[in-house]
Each structure stands twice: as structure tokens, then as C-alpha cells.
Amino acid sequence: MSVRVRRVYDPPEPDDGVRVLVDRLWPRGLSKEAALVDEWPKGLTPSTELRRWYHAGEGSYEEFARRYEAELTASEAAELLSHVRDLASAGPVTLLTAAKEPEHSHTAVLTRLLSRRD
């Protein structure tokens, strides 16, 4: 299974495979044509409340990750996570985000969960 994370602002690469935008909001200043996004499962992204809480600096990354993982157990999110896992089983998947530090964002949680073999 091949899952990687890239910034959505970076130019697409031939080995990206399926390009999945995992941000709730469309990235500023980027056209849909330039992004070349194949899928945009908004139900897989952190809730607006959780995103605002984390960006306000009210909690640690560890607490954010714990809360986000709990959100991913909801029916729609779990189905979407399973769908992306299926895509990754079939070929490369690139999770796209506008986050400046993807390693301290929800994409790190998604990558870890997608690599799990439940």
C-alpha cells in the first residue's frame, strides 16, 4: 500500500496516483484545474469545530490527533477512510493538504490509520 502526503500547492507528479484532497476548505489561490484533484472527501476531514479549536492553539497536537481519530469512527468518515484504503490497496495515493506542516496536521493521523491493517 502506497500513501504519501504532499502540499496541494506543489505541482502534480506522474507517480502521485490518485490525488485526494483531505482539507475541508478549498486551498486559497489554487484553481481546480491546477490542483488536479481526483477526489475530495470532505467527510474525512476534521470537523470545523475541531479545526478551529486546534488552530486557535487551545490544545496540543496529541489531543487534536486523539479527537480527530475519534471523529473518524463516525459512519460517513469510517466509510470514506475505508474507500481511500481500498484506493491505496489498488495503487499509489497522494493525500493533498494546504497545511504548511503536514507532519503536525490531520494528514499524519490519516496516513497512520490508512497503513493499519484492521
Side-chain angles (χ1 to χ4, degrees):
M1 186 172 335
S2 173
V3 177
R4 70 179 186 168
V5 176
R6 297 189 61 222
R7 292 204 66 222
V8 69
Y9 297 108
D10 294 337
E13 294 181 355
D15 59 346
D16 282 347
V18 179
R19 294 170 52 86
V20 181
L21 179 63
V22 291
D23 290 345
R24 186 166 296 267
L25 305 174
W26 187 263
R28 282 188 187 166
L30 186 65
S31 72
K32 291 188 167 123
E33 294 77 25
L36 291 178
V37 169
D38 296 308
E39 298 201 18
W40 186 15
K42 293 180 190 177
L44 190 59
T45 65
S47 66
T48 299
E49 297 77 18
L50 180 58
R51 184 175 49 81
R52 287 181 179 161
W53 172 84
Y54 183 54
H55 291 296
E58 295 180 21
S60 67
Y61 173 74
E62 291 74 20
E63 179 63 16
F64 166 78
R66 186 189 66 72
R67 291 182 184 193
Y68 179 45
E69 194 165 341
E71 287 186 353
L72 291 172
T73 63
S75 179
E76 179 188 7
E79 287 177 26
L80 290 168
L81 187 63
S82 178
H83 171 68
V84 174
R85 189 177 284 122
D86 290 346
L87 290 173
S89 292
V93 169
T94 300
L95 303 180
L96 301 169
T97 182
K100 291 180 183 173
E101 295 181 22
E103 65 277 3
H104 293 109
S105 76
H106 63 292
T107 58
V109 176
L110 285 174
T111 303
R112 180 172 44 80
L113 293 177
L114 287 168
S115 65
R116 241 191 236 170
R117 300 196 190 271
D118 291 333

